Amino acid sequence: MADDTTETELLKWARRYAKKHGWVLNTDEKQLATVIRGLARNKTRFGRQYCPCRLRSGDEEKDRAIECPCVYHKDEIANDGSCHCKLFFSTH
Ligand code: SF4
């Protein structure tokens, strides 16, 4: 089971990561907590913080693409204003 420490650490990491790129985290606390909980759960269960909004193939090599931050997030944030999970948001 994902513990609170993992969630707290992930949230800290996400904040730092967003800041470094000039993004912000979802301002809806409930949605934010859901994504963080999903990431923490995957980290605890699989040892990797797989995206909670994408399907794992089960192939470790392939699934590297969906480890948060996934290979898609920069394009998604640039094109849609947020990543698929709505964890990271652009500020403009
Ligand atoms: S969609 Fe967002 S939350 Fe999901 S892996 Fe990519 S960056 Fe992380």
Side-chain angles (χ1 to χ4, degrees):
M1 229 174 88
D3 56 48
D4 290 350
T5 324
T6 314
E7 289 186 27
T8 308
E9 289 305 313
L10 273 167
L11 188 56
K12 269 199 222 158
W13 164 78
R15 283 202 197 290
R16 269 199 315 270
Y17 186 78
K19 199 173 171 192
K20 185 171 138 196
H21 291 276
W23 305 324
V24 290
L25 297 187
N26 195 331
T27 52
D28 182 321
E29 292 290 332
K30 234 175 147 180
Q31 282 181 14
L32 176 60
T34 302
V35 180
I36 294 292
R37 197 174 313 126
L39 285 168
R41 198 168 290 160
N42 283 341
K43 193 165 186 180
T44 305
R45 197 175 292 169
F46 306 108
R48 301 197 182 264
Q49 53 193 53
Y50 289 125
C51 184
C53 316
R54 300 181 196 273
L55 280 181
R56 281 179 318 110
S57 71
D59 178 331
E60 233 180 82
E61 193 75 19
K62 268 197 208 156
D63 288 341
R64 263 188 214 137
I66 62 160
E67 271 180 48
C68 190
C70 62
V71 296
Y72 314 104
H73 75 296
K74 285 187 180 164
D75 283 346
E76 289 172 344
I77 295 166
N79 298 329
D80 312 327
S82 73
C83 70
H84 181 54
C85 271
K86 301 197 183 307
L87 175 60
F88 302 115
F89 281 75
S90 74
T91 51
H92 41 258

